Amino acid sequence: MEVKVLNVSGKETGAKVQLPEAIFGIEPNDHAIYLDVKQFLANQRQGTHKSKQRNEIAGSTRKLYKQKGTGGARAGSVKSPLFNGGGRVFGPQPRDYSFKLNKKLKVLARYSALTYKAQESNVVVLEDFSFDTIKTKNYVKLVADINASDVRTLLVLPAANNNVYLSSRNLAKTKVITVDQINTYDVLNAGKLVLTTGAVQKLEEALAK
């Protein structure tokens, strides 16, 4: 798939890049995407939720009243789950939500997500650039110039660039990552995938290994 290269002002440079078919032109696998996104979201969970069972509640274990003769239910201690302030039955306990996926499946999911973006014509390629200073308005202008102000954007750089990253950090609908940080969730979550020419080249190099 051939894509026109734009400059930082959103104007065509006259150059074109060929997006690798093996990355942007495969047969997408929806189930691989589902599993990879599920793992990504599971890994974000802290798993520190905790409620107290009746043996952890501070309170007396004295039987509240006699077993028979009251005409009501037979109550034990005030720590019973039936009372306000009592223990919770089958409440949440700390746990690890992460699970393992094979590397090949994760790669397939990533390539499937990138293919969907290419099929939807939501891939923008910019020539390599940098900002002289850290200014949010520089990044706002960049997004506006490529007609992506109203959508969530994911900018992929070949290597870390502090000025670009910090200029984008205050914006809710933008995210800046490097090629080695690409993941299925971020690609699908973005309305526009913005790659620099250096990032495309690095993707091709990673594919060749």
Side-chain angles (χ1 to χ4, degrees), residues 49-143:
H49 40 40
K50 174 74 170 71
S51 66
K52 290 185 178 182
Q53 301 180 40
R54 66 184 300 166
N55 65 323
E56 299 171 305
I57 297 291
S60 171
T61 57
R62 178 183 66 89
K63 187 169 175 62
L64 296 178
Y65 45 83
K66 64 181 182 178
Q67 179 82 350
K68 293 181 177 293
T70 64
R74 296 157 293 186
S77 72
V78 292
K79 301 200 291 185
S80 168
L82 302 177
F83 299 123
N84 286 339
R88 184 172 173 184
V89 180
F90 304 129
Q93 298 294 315
R95 56 167 289 194
D96 179 11
Y97 283 91
S98 64
F99 59 94
K100 180 183 178 299
L101 285 180
N102 292 333
K103 288 183 179 179
K104 287 185 177 180
L105 186 141
K106 291 175 70 66
V107 170
L108 174 60
R110 202 173 307 135
Y111 289 177
S112 297
L114 291 170
T115 295
Y116 274 128
K117 278 289 174 280
Q119 290 177 350
E120 296 162 359
S121 299
N122 284 327
V123 177
V124 178
V125 178
L126 297 177
E127 62 183 4
D128 291 324
F129 71 95
S130 182
F131 294 149
D132 295 331
T133 57
I134 301 170
K135 283 188 179 296
T136 301
K137 67 179 182 181
N138 288 344
Y139 200 89
V140 171
K141 182 178 183 302
L142 167 65
V143 173

Side-chain angles (χ1 to χ4, degrees), residues 11 14 17 39 55 58 65 77 81 94 111 121 132 134 141 146 149-150 157 160 181 187 199 201 205:
K11 301 290 192 296
V17 296
Q39 185 196 49
N55 65 323
Y65 45 83
S77 72
Y111 289 177
S121 299
D132 295 331
I134 301 170
K141 182 178 183 302
I146 62 174
S149 297
D150 298 329
L157 302 173
Q181 294 173 323
V187 172
Q201 183 180 357
E205 292 172 357

Side-chain angles (χ1 to χ4, degrees), residues 139 154-157 161 164-165 168 174-178 181:
Y139 200 89
L154 177 67
L155 173 62
V156 183
L157 302 173
N161 187 311
V164 175
Y165 170 71
S168 70
T174 65
K175 187 168 185 177
V176 176
I177 61 174
T178 57
Q181 294 173 323

Side-chain angles (χ1 to χ4, degrees), residues 10-27:
K11 301 290 192 296
E12 293 183 13
T13 62
K16 293 182 180 180
V17 296
Q18 188 73 31
L19 298 180
E21 284 292 317
I23 298 177
F24 293 89
I26 69 167
E27 181 67 34

